[in-house]
Amino acid sequence: MSLPKTFGVWGNIEKDAFWNIIPEIIIWADSKNIELFLTEKILSDTRAKKFNQPIIDSKNKISELDFMLVLGGDGTFLSCARAVEHRPTPILGIHLGDLGFLAKVNLENIFQRLDQVAEGKFSVEKRSMVKASILKNGSSLTQYGLNDFVVSNGESHRMLIAEVYVDDNRVSEYKADGLIIATPTGSTAYSLSSGGPIISPDVDSFVITPISAHTLNSRPLVVSAKSTIKINFSSYNQNITFITDGQLHEPLSTDDTVLITNSDFEIGLIDFPDSDYFQTLRTKMGWGTRGNSY
């Protein structure tokens, strides 16, 4: 593995912790003779006036970099993943708050991990992205997500009625507050809080999870990632909203059809020999600990 010579920073500029740590990262990059690039959003902030780093002014610029460093939470990581999309640049997430599932490194060990990256002592874990084709009046809109897609009746708080097919086989008519189609990466997010299972990242699958199902026999369903999931909507629905990774919102009509498949590319996550997905789960979920100590 060749040693990195360039990297970009993608950050949550709303957090003070970002502005506190970025000068130290700039000093670290200089000491390692690695060229650091900052996004247009970062450099447009008045607090970045003292920085003279080169700019990431397009998504294609990302493909020229050896890795992307994300400073923020899982939401910031998701937005970076969608920007990277099919490009080969791997991502390293630094969590600025509580431990996240996607941002594996915290501020306490950031420079230890960056040193490992500079020395080439890391691996790249591949994560699937999911693709949605929204068929509207004969045209098609495409969205990509790392975590999940959600359909709901938006702010109307009405029940969603959706007919779901897997590879043209009818599964069920779901009556619920909404419906989540999650990747294994997204299985620990909204799907989990709605009663869905945790799926190990190396299991090639989707999970279909109803949100607050209005019938007791509606249960989460795990299907192959090779499947095509089709969603049609009842004319009962109003103000249907299609949400990508909790961040992008697209209004739908009852005549629209959603087709969900695996994308034909994967996102690379920088990983380390001593990191452990299940350790992260135990820490995040509090497994094996009691609510109270006696």
Side-chain angles (χ1 to χ4, degrees):
M1 183 181 296
S2 59
L3 302 183
K5 297 181 176 62
T6 60
F7 73 103
V9 171
W10 185 285
N12 182 349
I13 62 173
E14 304 302 319
K15 286 186 175 285
D16 290 338
F18 172 83
W19 296 105
N20 293 336
I21 194 65
I22 193 66
E24 295 182 48
I25 293 171
I26 291 171
I27 293 169
W28 175 86
D30 286 342
S31 73
K32 299 292 182 181
N33 200 27
I34 301 175
E35 190 174 16
L36 185 160
F37 291 73
L38 297 174
T39 62
E40 202 166 15
K41 185 175 182 181
I42 294 169
L43 287 171
S44 65
D45 193 284
T46 55
R47 288 166 288 187
K49 282 183 179 177
K50 57 189 174 184
F51 302 151
N52 58 5
Q53 277 64 37
I55 190 171
I56 302 170
D57 54 5
S58 71
K59 291 181 180 179
N60 287 331
K61 183 67 182 176
I62 293 173
S63 63
E64 301 173 17
L65 304 175
D66 291 324
F67 71 97
M68 288 296 295
L69 183 70
V70 177
L71 299 163
D74 282 354
T76 310
F77 193 104
L78 290 167
S79 63
C80 181
R82 288 196 309 277
V84 171
E85 210 173 75
H86 60 276
R87 298 166 187 87
T89 309
I91 305 171
L92 175 62
I94 311 295
H95 214 285
L96 299 184
D98 297 329
L99 179 68
F101 285 106
L102 294 172
K104 300 181 180 182
V105 179
N106 56 38
L107 287 175
E108 292 174 7
N109 61 356
I110 176 175
F111 292 107
Q112 173 200 339
R113 292 307 197 189
L114 282 174
D115 284 345
Q116 286 180 264
V117 174
E119 294 163 9
K121 296 177 180 175
F122 66 94
S123 59
V124 176
E125 176 191 2
K126 297 293 188 179
R127 295 284 183 97
S128 298
M129 289 195 79
V130 63
K131 173 184 177 182
S133 300
I134 302 169
L135 309 180
K136 287 172 167 272
N137 300 322
S139 63
S140 179
L141 169 70
T142 301
Q143 300 272 29
Y144 292 100
L146 180 60
N147 261 6
D148 51 39
F149 295 129
V150 175
V151 284
S152 74
N153 266 336
E155 297 178 0
S156 67
H157 302 294
R158 287 167 61 96
M159 176 176 64
L160 177 82
I161 301 178
E163 196 95 34
V164 175
Y165 295 80
V166 173
D167 293 331
D168 290 327
N169 298 309
R170 184 178 182 274
V171 175
S172 178
E173 181 183 72
Y174 284 92
K175 297 180 179 180
D177 285 0
L179 203 58
I180 305 166
I181 313 297
T183 64
T185 301
S187 69
T188 52
Y190 194 8
S191 174
L192 179 64
S193 67
S194 299
I198 295 172
I199 301 174
S200 177
D202 57 352
V203 178
D204 227 8
S205 59
F206 299 128
V207 58
I208 304 169
T209 307
I211 304 167
S212 301
H214 291 227
T215 53
L216 293 176
N217 57 1
S218 282
R219 292 289 181 265
L221 175 66
V222 179
V223 300
S224 167
K226 296 184 177 73
S227 304
T228 297
I229 299 169
K230 181 170 74 173
I231 306 174
N232 291 330
F233 302 99
S234 160
S235 57
Y236 165 89
N237 296 289
Q238 295 179 4
N239 305 315
I240 308 167
T241 304
F242 185 84
I243 306 165
T244 301
D245 283 343
Q247 296 176 331
L248 304 178
H249 294 68
E250 178 70 28
L252 301 182
S253 76
T254 56
D255 295 329
D256 297 340
T257 296
V258 177
L259 298 176
I260 295 174
T261 60
N262 230 348
S263 67
D264 56 2
F265 57 85
E266 295 175 309
I267 288 289
L269 276 59
I270 288 180
D271 202 9
F272 303 97
D274 60 340
S275 66
D276 179 351
Y277 174 76
F278 295 102
Q279 171 64 44
T280 302
L281 277 185
R282 287 196 302 273
T283 305
K284 187 75 175 177
M285 309 297 294
W287 286 350
T289 60
R290 294 186 177 186
N292 297 296
S293 57
Y294 296 95

